Amino acid sequence: LNPRLEPLAGARRVISQCRHLLSERGEVSGTRRADEVLRAYQALDRPALVNFLSLLATEFSPPAAEVRRSADAYCSEPSAANLTRLQAAVESPRQELFRRLNMARGGMQALIEMRRHVLLGVREHPEWVALDADLSHLFRSWFNRGFLSLQRIDWSTSAVTLERLIEYEAVHQIHGWHDLRRRLEVDRRCYAFFSPALPADPLIFIEVALTKGIPDNVQLLLDPKGPLLEPAETDTAVFYSITSCQEGLRGIPFGNFLIKQVAESLQMEFPRIRTLVTLSPVPGFVDWLHSAHFNDASRPLPPGLRLLSEAATSGQDVDVRLCNDLKHELLELCAHYLLHCKQHKAPLDPVARFHLANGARLERLNWMGDTSTVGLRRSLGMTVNYSYRLDDVERNHEAYAKDYQVLASRRLRRLAAVVGGLPARRQLASFTTTKSTIRMPA
Amino acid sequence: LNPRLEPLAGARRVISQCRHLLSERGEVSGTRRADEVLRAYQALDRPALVNFLSLLATEFSPPAAEVRRSADAYCSEPSAANLTRLQAAVESPRQELFRRLNMARGGMQALIEMRRHVLLGVREHPEWVALDADLSHLFRSWFNRGFLSLQRIDWSTSAVTLERLIEYEAVHQIHGWHDLRRRLEVDRRCYAFFSPALPADPLIFIEVALTKGIPDNVQLLLDPKGPLLEPAETDTAVFYSITSCQEGLRGIPFGNFLIKQVAESLQMEFPRIRTLVTLSPVPGFVDWLHSAHFNDASRPLPPGLRLLSEAATSGQDVDVRLCNDLKHELLELCAHYLLHCKQHKAPLDPVARFHLANGARLERLNWMGDTSTVGLRRSLGMTVNYSYRLDDVERNHEAYAKDYQVLASRRLRRLAAVVGGLPARRQLASFTTTKSTIRMPA
Amino acid sequence: LNPRLEPLAGARRVISQCRHLLSERGEVSGTRRADEVLRAYQALDRPALVNFLSLLATEFSPPAAEVRRSADAYCSEPSAANLTRLQAAVESPRQELFRRLNMARGGMQALIEMRRHVLLGVREHPEWVALDADLSHLFRSWFNRGFLSLQRIDWSTSAVTLERLIEYEAVHQIHGWHDLRRRLEVDRRCYAFFSPALPADPLIFIEVALTKGIPDNVQLLLDPKGPLLEPAETDTAVFYSITSCQEGLRGIPFGNFLIKQVAESLQMEFPRIRTLVTLSPVPGFVDWLHSAHFNDASRPLPPGLRLLSEAATSGQDVDVRLCNDLKHELLELCAHYLLHCKQHKAPLDPVARFHLANGARLERLNWMGDTSTVGLRRSLGMTVNYSYRLDDVERNHEAYAKDYQVLASRRLRRLAAVVGGLPARRQLASFTTTKSTIRMPA
Amino acid sequence: LNPRLEPLAGARRVISQCRHLLSERGEVSGTRRADEVLRAYQALDRPALVNFLSLLATEFSPPAAEVRRSADAYCSEPSAANLTRLQAAVESPRQELFRRLNMARGGMQALIEMRRHVLLGVREHPEWVALDADLSHLFRSWFNRGFLSLQRIDWSTSAVTLERLIEYEAVHQIHGWHDLRRRLEVDRRCYAFFSPALPADPLIFIEVALTKGIPDNVQLLLDPKGPLLEPAETDTAVFYSITSCQEGLRGIPFGNFLIKQVAESLQMEFPRIRTLVTLSPVPGFVDWLHSAHFNDASRPLPPGLRLLSEAATSGQDVDVRLCNDLKHELLELCAHYLLHCKQHKAPLDPVARFHLANGARLERLNWMGDTSTVGLRRSLGMTVNYSYRLDDVERNHEAYAKDYQVLASRRLRRLAAVVGGLPARRQLASFTTTKSTIRMPA
């Protein structure tokens, strides 16, 4: 036996089971068979899985001859009938395979996990693009926003679901059940979108703190020993963390509604609260700063900024003292980055993109608003408040949707305008990147 | 104002709203806009609706030029990339429109109702085929069996749902709440499939009577004043009515699982019950008989049969005495019809197709098993028991799925073999029809 | 066999089973035994039941010798220890018997039903007072308001519960499911108190109509074909029917909270609705009128009033024309009756007692507000609006609780003051009765 | 201000509020007032609480004069009417006060907590007996077994409830969420009794392990890293921990049913499992051994046993080697203790009392079955299996209920018979105690 052939043999066996499942005319035994295929698939080790995905990408495609025939027919006569025939001809049998796998216990989770693998490996295996296309197509139907429900999560929620929060939280890690419990106390709120296809597993969740005044520091908010406020005494709702839970659903749009619905729900419960803000990181800032350094060798960054950006992007600890020495430059640069740096026409910063698209405006930049190791590395300790005013949200959102208008407070606009005497300003402004250091809702 | 233009103008207004909804880049206002479009659509009167559907069928198709370009590219180089591009090019923008309409309150019901209109009118408006294709495609994903749940329905079920049973029951009409209540008593069971997309609205439901012995007469079962049995005394479960509720979901496969799951659920609750049978109509028999008469003028039906088949198919009352005079001929013909008459390779009778595909076998033909006006007209008063033996169901189902094998009791096979000396036997046997007089699960 | 001994023998058998159940030291078999006793008890026919209750009233009393000993001990030394001993000595073993019967399936319903029998027969069987005392004592604990929950009832409520509404509604009969459905439409609300001890069975429920302006006629409200209003267009909530469901719980206090909680719930849902009124009958009026006639022979009622009161109280149809002829006298008398006629210190009318104790005030008297046969017989067609103003409810309630103050609108006070030139005014005013023609919450 | 008067003053203020709440005729404001009283009561510090309870015990007793009058009346004529009057006269107004406090939010928990205080302090404050009597009387009605429901607890249960398990577990401490999760895995079951009065708070719960064979060692069962078994492979259900959660409900009977219902539920889920056993401590053994030493100075325990019993009862660590040296003596003595030592007529050991009363029999004594520090101190490392055979449970239970028959396996009977040559055997056997080192269900 040639062990190097093994992964391929294992993959081929499961592919053959898939073909069997798909050819099945009878439906009574479908669920059982789908279960078997799924178990076999999930038992594949890493190399076999890679082989399996590559086979899947090529073997369950629509038959080329029929596609060509239908395409020819349409080209010579683009009638409705010929279009319908062409549509049917080009649909991958894979889609029906995926629909049948969804009948197995745990089928949906497995398909989401499959797409996660696909997204991670598609650069290396370009043929997997076909898998991504088919899975995305199905997910767009299955996770249609019409099916999602916003649910409040609190200490009476099932442990199954709460455990997922601990596991998924990407912005400010939850350190166990004790930490979680503080985040679900009377002066906190947590909301999530759920799909009936994954009833105990949140798709995206948002954590809210009820505070007096707009906070600038996230450590104070997160401190498990921080004082409990009476909700009646608070005047501000702070969205301090938003997490997209399922990497396999990246790009499937459902996140944008969450903020608006949560804001409405909070207003219903606390009519007195008029201020809704975020306390957000600026996850693209250090990358932008760092790339500027490399991209424009003729006008290098001043040494301090260069040191900081190098440390932050290479995962080393950031020197707080040096940060503080450069406070003004950093605040101005960051304001400039948030307001003026673009990826195509949209803001370069992924968090800014998200909130501005949702109808928020840039409100305030906070110095040393997140002094955790991660916070320093992520945004050199800066945090930003985006504010949501319910009356303006829709108008802001339309303005952004139409021409990517970036709304900001006067203070921030002034700060962003200061930038001068710095090297490579124009280059910085025009630099674009696609990397984002935090998982953000699509 | 030209009133004859009105329907078209109204339709055009809604089409324009649809285009607006679809072009919407921002998502925050999507739900509200989807709501508005839906209300406008639902306010269309009949003529405007017809106009709307025809516009919808033509206007939201994929752009021909891009389809052609992609088709050309694929034909000259059938690569994976070109296939993916072609797949994207041929998808109707309508699908995204439907997905967005699903975000509106009541969106799913409206889409199901839209397909009902489409199915009713597609013969007259062949261009609506494109609508059917797009809606079916989405429904196959949305109503995937992996999402459906089997729920027991009883007197503690919500009135919203119970009211639907009364409305939907197609085989043996439910005469109000009093009648319904009898059908949910201790010696009855009712199960339905529900989708999370329609939480209070059953997709298909089955009514079961617990009896002593296999019943042959449906009137006795249905009598609201019939005696209540202690479930512990019963030995047989009779599936006496199965109803597909949503005409707009015709052809979307989910019905076949119901019987098997119900049978398993009953066995769990009543381990002593070993016999599971149906008490079914033979809805295609009179049509077959009647068509035989016309199709083979050289060998006409005997006058009595001709009279009966004419009365039954033209909706007149059926002469019971005449039936009784022809009892033997009718039983033999009906057995012959059930066992040997085909549509392509499958049984001609839609109810037979359904149960045999589910793994049942033909057990017994009952004379005057349904003497209601409808029962006489539908099957000249005959009923048939299909039996489900849990141990054989899967094997039977596979045998049928493979080569349409029709399993029947020895008694029925003998009865079916008698047919001889009758005109047009062979023609009758080969006659095919697509008409079915009762709504059957797909 | 002497059949006249039979009832007694049957009763004795069940009594003996009760004794067995009570003596049972082991608890494992308790539920099974309680079930058996309950079935036997429920199988008793009417005469046997009477015998059983009488035996129960005498046989499970505390042992007289021990009571006497404890009483003596307490009298000679009224210490805490002697009090505790006396308390233990006087508790009927019946209470423990009832607590054990509650373990049986349907035990609670059976005990409530038992008290209903007791209340109906206690006048004839004075010894049943002891049963009433023990059952009331338990019910006051079991139906403590701390356990009750207010639930909204609508068309999505279980048929089990809805069926009870149809059965229980005492003020304006519900004519089947069709009628019920109208009462649960978008412009209606229905709320009920439930106990966890009877989860599907309401204790008391209230029906509310959302209207424009204060209605004076109940037929318009009840008409199943009456127009549906958009809740957003309405400005008034009308409590048009309140029904205590369980006669066996008469006198157990829980009704008073219902109105206040319902009012608060309505205000939450419809902040715009500022007017909350009832549309109530005046059930004690004709009795009062009629008795006045007999009680004061020297000053007889005028003939018209006498005729009307005789017809109404003897269950004959009421002559509407005669009513209309006497409109002014009747309105004045009725206002006088509502504001000034007392039973002890409280208003004579049971409905007035209920609403005034809840913090309402008398608002308006409506001529021909209920022209149904029952309505004419009950109140000669008159209805009355009691109004609840949330800001005043508590103050009104305290005022009533303190000295039975009857609050009324100026218009009603003037109307009530008119009464003059009528015979027996003072006598009428001081007449008291205990009969009430409708079941009212305690 | 004299601070030493403060506790009394605070207590008096709350007492006065209680009196106000009780005198309240109106009911509308009752809930609000009950809330206020409860908050004030809960704000009392320890010394004030003691004062409050003592005042409560004396001030809300029935008025002595009326009790005496009613007692006199009954003594001179013990009629039903006089009995009813006496019963009414002796009921403490406290009971109505407690019923009204139950209307407050959290009222029930507060009353249970109050009884906990009373039970802890009643020895020091004998007048509190009256409080215990009134609270017990109400709790016996409120926690009547007819209201309790058995619910399965697993990882999908609410965190609120799971957190209580961690807090309450008294037999084998749960070390945080990680440990809890192992106890809710596929080869574990957990069931609890809940009252609708405390919907998220278990009254008593039982932890079950599914195993192969009867385990003798509890550490292996509890090891969070122990291997997971497939439920289908197991043949034994082990009740390894039973915890009564509410100390304030001590003596209120509801625990006995739990085991039987859990056993039936397990048999339904796993028909193959025929062996149901406990793995229990012997919590009274060391006390008995130790007391024997002191109680019979003339025949002292052998030095080794004395050392062990002294260490165990004084809370010092137990010398395992010494235990092992005395293995045979200890096993024999323990068997003797379990089978023959009595408190009145019942077994001296509280856990034995509980399981034997429930219909179990003594099956096996395990050497070093619990080698934790607590386990050694509690039972010198021994554990015992009680076995439940569903077919025998009721018979065993009746036998025990009738004459306290102790059923045991032959092996155990033999072991218990060995005891001889030991000092004070008979004395040991007759020694009685009321101390129990673990909280056991009543």
Side-chain angles (χ1 to χ4, degrees), chain A residues 74 79-89, chain B residues 129-130 133:
Chain A
Y74 180 83
S79 68
N82 279 338
L83 177 61
T84 303
R85 183 182 156 197
L86 179 57
Q87 286 171 330
Chain B
V129 160

Side-chain angles (χ1 to χ4, degrees), chain B residues 69-94:
Chain B
R69 252 194 316 275
S70 309
D72 279 344
Y74 181 83
C75 288
S76 48
E77 192 209 335
S79 67
N82 280 337
L83 176 60
T84 303
R85 182 182 156 197
L86 179 57
Q87 286 170 329
V90 301
E91 181 177 318
S92 309
R94 252 189 312 272

Side-chain angles (χ1 to χ4, degrees), chain A residues 154-163 177-178 181, chain D residues 154-163 177-178 181:
Chain A
D154 58 22
W155 197 238
S156 72
T157 301
S158 142
V160 170
T161 299
L162 295 183
E163 188 180 42
W177 290 85
H178 188 66
R181 193 176 178 173
Chain D
D154 58 22
W155 197 237
S156 71
T157 300
S158 141
V160 170
T161 300
L162 295 182
E163 187 180 43
W177 289 86
H178 189 65
R181 191 174 182 175

Side-chain angles (χ1 to χ4, degrees), chain A residues 163-171 201-202 205 243-246 439:
Chain A
E163 188 180 42
R164 303 284 159 85
L165 297 197
I166 297 179
E167 179 191 339
Y168 291 142
E169 159 67 89
V171 185
D201 214 349
F205 66 93
T243 299
S244 270
C245 305
Q246 312 289 341
R439 250 190 296 165

Side-chain angles (χ1 to χ4, degrees), chain D residues 13-28:
Chain D
R13 261 196 308 272
V14 182
I15 286 290
S16 142
Q17 284 181 282
C18 287
R19 203 168 287 124
H20 198 158
L21 173 62
L22 198 52
S23 71
E24 181 76 29
R25 278 247 321 294
E27 286 164 17
V28 172

